Amino acid sequence: MSRKSVAGSLIGGIAETQEMLDYCAAKGIVPDVQKISPKDVNHAMVSLSKSDPAVRRFVIDMSQLTPDLVVEPDAAIDPTAWKMLGTPVPASARHPAHAAK
């Protein structure tokens, strides 16, 4: 006996997505985002970690990314408290200020 399953998407296909984008463009509906420079990523992460209601979504402007850009670690950010795809951040990625946690 084999098990069968049916899966689908609630967001629709390409035609439905295009229809939604056209509707939004016609009605002036735009996303509520804050565009930031790659050098401001730490500030954005701190804002997100504080659950600031004024800040919901950041968009990083990658056109400002340069080979010489250096983003310094921020002791206010505890990466061990975050998870990506359900996997905890490894201890080796911890900032020294959070190494004892």
Side-chain angles (χ1 to χ4, degrees):
M1 188 183 327
S2 66
R3 295 179 185 228
K4 300 194 187 316
S5 65
V6 176
S9 170
L10 298 176
I11 63 170
I14 294 173
E16 291 86 356
T17 302
Q18 186 62 55
E19 181 182 353
M20 181 269 309
L21 291 172
D22 292 342
Y23 177 84
C24 290
K27 301 290 184 179
I29 300 169
V30 296
D32 185 15
V33 299
Q34 183 176 345
K35 189 173 172 181
I36 62 169
S37 165
K39 67 181 175 58
D40 296 324
V41 168
N42 281 335
H43 170 72
M45 296 304 285
V46 170
S47 295
L48 289 172
S49 70
K50 292 180 180 176
S51 299
D52 183 354
V55 179
R56 301 259 185 237
R57 193 170 285 176
F58 290 99
V59 174
I60 303 170
D61 182 0
M62 297 306 285
S63 69
Q64 297 182 23
L65 186 62
T66 59
D68 59 332
L69 177 72
V70 176
V71 178
E72 296 295 329
D74 187 334
I77 301 172
D78 182 3
T80 61
W82 301 336
K83 294 182 178 181
M84 179 177 277
L85 300 176
T87 305
V89 176
S92 60
R94 293 180 186 174
H95 186 278
H98 303 287
K101 289 186 178 182

